[in-house]
Amino acid sequence: MSLHVSALLTAFVFLVINSFSYALPTAAMSRAEQLAAALAAMQERAALAGVEPEQPAALVKCGLPAVFQLRAYEKLLGKQAGISEFLARPTDADFPEIYDSPGGHFKIHYTTAAGDRDRIDESYGDHNSNGVPDYPEIVALVCDSVWDHHINQRGFREPINDQNHGGGDARYDVYIRDVGGQVYGITWADQAVADGPMVKATSWMELDNHYEQYQGYDTRPLDAMRVTVAHEFLHAIHLAYDAEELCTDANCTPALQNPYWFEMSSVWAEEDTYDNINDYYLYLEFYLDQVHRSLRYISETGLNIYGAALMPIYLSQLYGRDLVRLVWERCGEVPGENLLSGALQGALDEISGGAVDLEKAWLEYGKALFFTGTRARPGKFFEEAANYAMVPDNAGSPLRPYIRYYSQYPVTKQQASDNAFLPSELGFNYLVFSTGTIDSVFTMNFEGAVSTPIPTDWRIAMTGYDRFNLNAPLKVDPTHYQNFGLIQERNLTAVTDLLGVVTIVNPELRRKDNFYRFEVTNTSVVIKENTVTFVNTKFLLSEGDDHAFYVIVQPAAKAQVNMTIFNAAGEEVYQSGTYEPAAGERYPIQWNGRNNDREEVASGVYVVQVRIGDETTHKKILVIR
């Protein structure tokens, strides 16, 4: 919804209505509950003022998106009794005890008042007997460590000094209180500070007083606190570059509060600072399940933007850890949203000397998203890919066909255009073509289009891989095929599948009516005789169950196939199940070096018998512990 000046004038006429039916924030609520109450009240006031209220920001992981939305409502409707007080900086009366961090950068505010829900966690004791509970001292040490990482090591600028903006002194204020479990912490964007055309802001941070109550952190609460400090303090730094990177319109209405880059880059900071905590794993499935959508998209749960941190994580892995800082420096040079319209490209230019553009980086990232979980390739793509969730396909999730598989050819344009999940700008689709019945040349005609005269910017990148051997080399086609074109891939004997990554690389094409279609010509080969391919004849048991001996059978006609392993004395050690692949289908049968009782076999020579129908093939292999 776009808001016009007339609507703004109407809004102020309705400000005479000064009662809320929703409960306003109270001291009996956690901070997350207070945020929810404040948003509900402001949405009600917006409706009374004749302004259609927007979906409230999701209160998950980080409270900053809700704070942004409240600030936008305040800008739109003016200060509101009960809300403006809630948005004010906490007072010394509420948090009378203060501890300055040893590094001199932070002031930790807390309370030990009995019965106060914000009371500090005192279970850590006071081991140095200095009268200060250990918990605020631990928080202070973590804050100093994060300062050193973000500012001294990564080169980010310091947060804006709030000494003359209500902060009292130059130290950054951190309040320990009952945040509430829905969010880990909150950075409060405070006073706007103009710097030429740019708007920046002071801020303060709130951390929880009992992180053991957070799911998964009952035995390691300090880990939750650590990643929260890393996350929230980068927000404080963001605000010193650009407090309105989220806005795409001069009015900056609540509808346009879209802090996707704020949250993605702050989750990147968690991983960059504390590589082994991996809190972001919790959110990956919510992003990968929406991978066809624009990077700007925020789901109703709000969780996908945290999983989308995979983008800065991977690009900084590829092109250097300075990338995120360089992007924020460019965001701080141009008012409004600038990440995709120039900042990311400018950072890539600087870090690569002009050798990498957004198209190249984006397609590399798209490939990496495919090879996670059980599709991960050791030593390739994401460093922790095997631990990640996966982009769902039409086998595991019929309602999310982001990955479509083809094994029978030809594929007509009519068959290939039936997809309800076409990608938005900077979203992805994946096409997987089995090479089992393809001749030496794979041929596809690709057509990308929109229903307007504006040209699309479709790109498709092709990569061949062996789905049964995670260590096999990839066959990467360096060409990025464009809107219309003939794609041909040759020499496919070493791969089982061809992956096509389909995306729109123009961030300005936000229309939902972009579409593409393609056709694959009939390049099938008639298999005239049964074939058995022994992929390896030496099997190292020390490499574990993830590594296996396997054969690929390809029957000339549909037939039952199986594999039996015998030791040197001719005794059966292992027998696979019986399978029935189609004529011409390349079917793998694996053995992980264990007998029929699931025990590891001894080193030595074994005989492999492969049966296709009534026909058998034998070969000796060597097993080494």
Side-chain angles (χ1 to χ4, degrees):
M1 176 189 73
S2 63
L3 191 63
H4 299 290
V5 174
S6 59
L8 283 169
L9 294 175
T10 303
F12 288 104
V13 171
F14 276 84
L15 289 182
V16 296
I17 303 173
N18 55 19
S19 63
F20 292 103
S21 62
Y22 284 98
L24 289 170
T26 69
M29 300 175 180
S30 70
R31 290 300 263 175
E33 291 168 336
Q34 290 175 342
L35 272 173
L39 279 174
M42 290 298 272
Q43 283 190 299
E44 179 189 44
R45 175 53 56 87
L48 290 172
V51 178
E52 183 181 345
E54 300 298 327
Q55 176 182 321
L59 283 165
V60 293
K61 187 164 176 64
C62 176
L64 180 64
V67 172
F68 275 139
Q69 195 171 48
L70 278 175
R71 291 294 187 194
Y73 274 125
E74 185 179 56
K75 181 178 179 180
L76 180 67
L77 301 175
K79 292 186 179 297
Q80 306 289 304
I83 303 296
S84 294
E85 293 84 351
F86 166 66
L87 286 169
R89 186 183 291 261
T91 67
D92 290 344
D94 294 325
F95 297 90
E97 293 159 278
I98 292 173
Y99 177 72
D100 290 335
S101 71
H105 301 299
F106 295 89
K107 180 174 284 188
I108 314 300
H109 303 256
Y110 64 99
T111 180
T112 57
D116 192 324
R117 70 180 301 148
D118 293 325
R119 183 177 180 177
I120 194 100
D121 183 353
E122 295 184 273
S123 65
Y124 292 88
D126 179 14
H127 286 81
N128 57 5
S129 302
N130 66 346
V132 177
D134 282 355
Y135 188 60
E137 292 183 318
I138 295 169
V139 167
L141 290 173
V142 171
C143 288
D144 279 345
S145 176
V146 170
W147 178 290
D148 179 67
H149 177 273
H150 288 9
I151 294 171
N152 298 334
Q153 296 180 40
R154 293 290 172 258
F156 287 96
R157 66 179 54 163
E158 297 180 12
I160 295 175
N161 184 336
D162 64 3
Q163 184 169 0
N164 298 321
H165 300 279
D169 61 27
R171 292 178 177 86
Y172 189 84
D173 294 292
V174 177
Y175 297 84
I176 301 175
R177 64 187 311 169
D178 177 20
V179 173
Q182 287 175 273
V183 296
Y184 287 49
I186 308 171
T187 301
W188 292 80
D190 192 16
Q191 296 191 22
V193 178
D195 183 4
M198 301 303 300
V199 176
K200 304 176 182 181
T202 59
S203 65
W204 74 87
M205 182 196 308
E206 292 181 346
L207 303 176
D208 201 77
N209 54 354
H210 283 283
Y211 280 106
E212 71 276 4
Q213 299 173 2
Y214 287 66
Q215 183 177 1
Y217 290 102
D218 54 325
T219 61
R220 54 184 188 117
L222 293 182
D223 278 352
M225 184 266 288
R226 290 184 180 100
V227 294
T228 303
V229 173
H231 182 113
E232 301 300 334
F233 190 57
L234 198 66
H235 282 328
I237 291 170
H238 296 164
L239 295 169
Y241 287 99
D242 182 0
E244 294 189 340
E245 167 63 21
L246 63 163
C247 293
T248 57
D249 185 273
N251 291 323
C252 197
T253 69
L256 297 171
Q257 301 307 300
N258 187 346
Y260 67 103
W261 175 234
F262 277 85
E263 296 306 321
M264 289 161 54
S265 55
S266 278
V267 174
W268 164 85
E270 297 176 25
E271 174 68 358
D272 191 55
T273 311
Y274 297 109
D275 181 43
N276 294 322
I277 296 179
N278 298 324
D279 183 78
Y280 73 106
Y281 286 5
L282 301 173
Y283 311 101
L284 298 185
E285 64 179 288
F286 300 97
Y287 168 61
L288 295 172
D289 189 50
Q290 302 286 343
V291 75
H292 68 298
R293 295 190 183 272
S294 168
L295 199 65
R296 299 180 176 99
Y297 172 73
I298 298 182
S299 65
E300 288 188 9
T301 67
L303 293 169
N304 67 304
I305 59 175
Y306 301 101
L310 287 177
M311 188 273 281
I313 286 172
Y314 188 64
L315 295 190
S316 62
Q317 176 186 316
L318 277 185
Y319 305 118
R321 293 175 183 241
D322 289 337
L323 181 69
V324 174
R325 173 179 56 80
L326 293 172
V327 170
W328 271 109
E329 288 177 359
R330 281 152 183 79
C331 288
E333 295 171 354
V334 180
E337 183 191 29
N338 189 40
L339 168 70
L340 299 176
S341 60
L344 180 54
Q345 180 61 73
L348 289 168
D349 284 340
E350 178 170 340
I351 209 165
S352 71
V356 176
D357 59 13
L358 179 60
E359 174 183 314
K360 176 179 173 60
W362 192 251
L363 285 165
E364 287 297 319
Y365 171 58
K367 283 187 285 188
L369 288 182
F370 179 82
F371 291 106
T372 65
T374 58
R375 292 192 289 261
R377 327 302 281 186
K380 297 181 177 68
F381 303 113
F382 286 102
E383 293 172 353
E384 301 173 22
N387 300 327
Y388 289 174
M390 298 167 65
V391 176
D393 57 39
N394 58 355
S397 180
L399 299 180
R400 296 288 187 269
Y402 314 130
I403 307 176
R404 288 181 288 163
Y405 294 90
Y406 298 90
S407 59
Q408 300 297 320
Y409 308 101
V411 177
T412 67
K413 288 181 180 179
Q414 183 177 7
Q415 292 171 319
S417 60
D418 182 18
N419 182 10
F421 292 91
L422 295 169
S424 301
E425 84 287 357
L426 298 175
F428 294 106
N429 276 183
Y430 296 94
L431 308 174
V432 180
F433 303 97
S434 171
T435 63
T437 58
I438 294 178
D439 200 350
S440 58
V441 179
F442 168 86
T443 303
M444 175 168 67
N445 288 292
F446 181 83
E447 295 180 9
V450 291
S451 59
T452 70
I454 300 175
T456 60
D457 276 279
W458 289 100
R459 296 293 183 274
I460 179 167
M462 304 296 295
T463 301
Y465 66 97
D466 185 337
R467 95 178 72 148
F468 309 117
N469 183 359
L470 301 181
N471 292 290
L474 301 175
K475 183 182 184 299
V476 179
D477 186 337
T479 303
H480 296 161
Y481 297 95
Q482 301 187 10
N483 302 330
F484 304 94
L486 178 68
I487 299 172
Q488 288 193 329
E489 302 294 334
R490 301 175 182 275
N491 302 321
L492 303 176
T493 54
V495 301
T496 63
D497 296 86
L498 276 173
L499 169 67
V501 179
V502 184
T503 187
I504 299 176
V505 296
N506 186 339
E508 304 309 315
L509 287 174
R510 305 189 186 199
R511 298 164 183 80
K512 295 182 179 179
D513 52 5
N514 301 325
F515 69 93
Y516 67 87
R517 60 185 182 176
F518 61 88
E519 62 182 358
V520 178
T521 58
N522 187 352
T523 56
S524 60
V525 179
V526 177
I527 304 300
K528 297 181 179 179
E529 59 182 26
N530 299 327
T531 62
V532 178
T533 303
F534 289 82
V535 177
N536 51 332
T537 57
K538 183 183 292 185
F539 179 24
L540 298 175
L541 280 177
S542 60
E543 293 183 346
D545 286 348
D546 290 339
H547 300 267
F549 163 81
Y550 68 93
V551 299
I552 297 176
V553 298
Q554 191 170 25
K558 185 176 181 179
Q560 291 188 340
V561 301
N562 64 17
M563 177 173 68
T564 307
I565 309 294
F566 301 92
N567 61 21
E571 300 166 329
E572 180 182 311
V573 173
Y574 170 80
Q575 186 171 70
S576 72
T578 298
Y579 314 99
E580 196 168 355
E585 180 181 355
R586 299 175 68 197
Y587 194 90
I589 307 178
Q590 302 186 40
W591 178 50
N592 66 357
R594 295 178 181 270
N595 61 24
N596 289 322
D597 294 324
R598 302 298 300 155
E599 301 166 333
E600 278 194 356
V601 302
S603 298
V605 175
Y606 291 80
V607 176
V608 179
Q609 175 185 282
V610 179
R611 181 177 65 84
I612 302 178
D614 296 329
E615 183 179 312
T616 59
T617 301
H618 297 80
K619 196 173 188 69
K620 291 182 179 179
I621 65 169
L622 178 64
V623 174
I624 304 173
R625 277 190 177 278

